[in-house]
Amino acid sequence: MNLLIKRSVVKPLLIPLTAVTAGSFLVSYRLFKYAFERVDHVPPTSKEKQKYADDYYDYVAWMKQTASQTWTLNANSPENKVVASYIPATRPTKKTVIIAHGYKGNRETMANYVKMFHEMGFNALVPDDRGHGESSGNYINFGWLDRLDYLQWINRVIDHVGKDSDILLFGVSMGGATVEMISGETLPPQVKALIADCGYASIREELTYLLKQQFHLPEYPVEPLVSGINRHVLGFSLDDVSSTKQLAKNNRPILFIHGGRDTYVPVKMAYENYRATKSPKQLWIVKNATHAESFWYNPTAYRKRVTAFLETYFK
């Protein structure tokens, strides 16, 4: 499947201001730009994870020094070019993990997970999503359009590694939600299992939660206005971006991981995603971990839990 997006041009929005105040619209538009517009740097991590900085940069240095290839989708379409790093395993293998990064991150920010899977004998494909890193796009789509790019990445892996490939999908935060949303698509048999770390249940629910927690704003009329702006710019409403709806169609084994002290994507969303899933599933709540901290809190326990899941479902 080839996904091509036309260059975004913000035209005057056809949203009647008679229903809302101009002030509400202005607030919503500024929020849209704050949350959805790309930034070409990785924002600082949370205070809770600052203590892992030295380890993080060691992982990044390892990834930069490890032999890799640069893969590209839509190379002849500047508005749609998507870039990834492919890191082959030390020994030839049919096992490949495709790793999805988090919000305002890039493939480099997944270096610790790349190294973990590399040591477990996997090839690794690590894309920059649209609106991130070296990939094109002026706006972040929170995994909804990215999921279609990942279907192309899956086919690229099969073409490169072989039709007897065994593929694992893995993601953290927005990447976790991206994996969850990919799960509802028609996947080739080479995709054997999925792991989603701290993914949200839906972007509407996540935005509504953050409106109250961070900005002290009501859901109405802000969320419907942001959704309308997003539909105008990117072609879909926030109601479309739902992990739970996609997981209801999933038929692959999946491991959900979530920090018990996550106040960015609240842990109740992990339970929502788990309940929505009818396929074989596991849920691991890392009691004292904050958002996207589960690996860093105890890397040995994290790897052990992932290994146990793979020994059961990835054969």
Side-chain angles (χ1 to χ4, degrees):
M1 182 180 297
N2 188 27
L3 174 69
L4 295 181
I5 303 297
K6 295 181 180 179
R7 186 185 300 275
S8 295
V9 178
V10 179
K11 301 176 181 178
L13 297 177
L14 301 179
I15 299 175
L17 292 183
T18 57
V20 294
T21 66
S24 295
F25 179 81
L26 182 59
V27 167
S28 301
Y29 184 67
R30 287 178 175 173
L31 180 64
F32 170 79
K33 288 179 67 66
Y34 171 81
F36 289 75
E37 204 165 51
R38 80 175 290 152
V39 294
D40 289 317
H41 66 277
V42 177
T45 190
S46 64
K47 293 180 181 179
E48 295 89 350
K49 296 197 288 293
Q50 290 291 344
K51 58 181 174 289
Y52 308 120
D54 289 344
D55 290 338
Y56 168 77
Y57 286 110
D58 286 344
Y59 283 116
V60 171
W62 170 87
M63 186 171 170
K64 289 179 176 180
Q65 294 164 6
T66 302
S68 67
Q69 304 166 15
T70 299
W71 289 9
T72 305
L73 297 178
N74 310 318
N76 296 322
S77 176
E79 298 87 3
N80 296 279
K81 187 176 75 170
V82 188
V83 179
S85 291
Y86 176 77
I87 301 174
T90 303
R91 297 180 180 179
T93 181
K94 297 297 183 179
K95 300 189 305 181
T96 303
V97 58
I98 302 177
I99 299 177
H101 65 73
Y103 175 65
K104 295 185 178 178
N106 56 40
R107 60 195 193 270
E108 184 178 278
T109 61
M110 305 304 284
N112 53 313
Y113 305 102
V114 176
K115 189 172 190 291
M116 178 184 75
F117 283 110
H118 189 77
E119 291 173 347
M120 294 167 67
F122 279 79
N123 307 310
L125 181 67
V126 200
D128 282 342
D129 289 348
R130 291 173 183 254
H132 297 81
E134 294 184 49
S135 293
S136 65
N138 295 323
Y139 297 94
I140 298 166
N141 66 81
F142 290 89
W144 187 241
L145 302 180
D146 296 318
R147 83 193 195 286
L148 304 179
D149 291 326
Y150 279 84
L151 296 180
Q152 293 190 71
W153 287 129
I154 290 168
N155 288 330
R156 285 286 299 272
V157 167
I158 294 170
D159 290 343
H160 184 78
V161 179
K163 293 189 180 299
D164 53 349
S165 294
D166 294 319
I167 298 174
L168 171 69
L169 303 181
F170 174 91
V172 178
S173 190
M174 186 185 77
T178 303
V179 165
E180 291 161 355
M181 288 185 278
I182 297 168
S183 76
E185 303 301 316
T186 300
L187 298 174
Q190 289 86 351
V191 178
K192 303 300 183 184
L194 308 93
I195 301 176
D197 187 332
C198 62
Y200 38 78
S202 72
I203 194 57
R204 178 180 179 179
E205 185 177 349
E206 176 67 9
L207 177 62
T208 300
Y209 169 79
L210 293 177
L211 281 174
K212 295 177 181 178
Q213 295 295 316
Q214 292 190 4
F215 301 102
H216 308 291
L217 292 171
E219 177 178 358
Y220 299 100
V222 178
E223 187 278 328
L225 281 171
V226 172
S227 183
I229 296 168
N230 191 75
R231 178 184 288 278
H232 180 81
V233 176
L234 289 175
F236 60 90
S237 74
L238 300 190
D239 286 333
D240 296 329
V241 189
S242 172
S243 297
T244 53
K245 291 178 183 178
Q246 291 290 97
L247 286 165
K249 298 182 285 183
N250 173 45
N251 58 14
R252 298 297 198 280
I254 183 167
L255 169 62
F256 297 100
I257 301 172
H258 216 102
R261 293 177 53 229
D262 193 335
T263 58
Y264 188 74
V265 177
V267 69
K268 72 182 185 70
M269 292 192 185
Y271 291 101
E272 291 177 44
N273 289 332
Y274 183 81
R275 287 193 298 268
T277 305
K278 304 300 185 290
S279 63
K281 57 189 178 181
Q282 294 181 4
L283 173 62
W284 181 36
I285 304 298
V286 182
K287 184 177 179 181
N288 293 314
T290 60
H291 183 66
E293 191 189 12
S294 295
F295 172 92
W296 301 102
Y297 185 76
N298 190 331
T300 301
Y302 195 97
R303 177 167 174 167
K304 183 177 180 180
R305 189 61 183 248
V306 167
T307 299
F309 172 76
L310 297 178
E311 287 176 346
T312 303
Y313 294 112
F314 192 89
K315 296 182 178 179

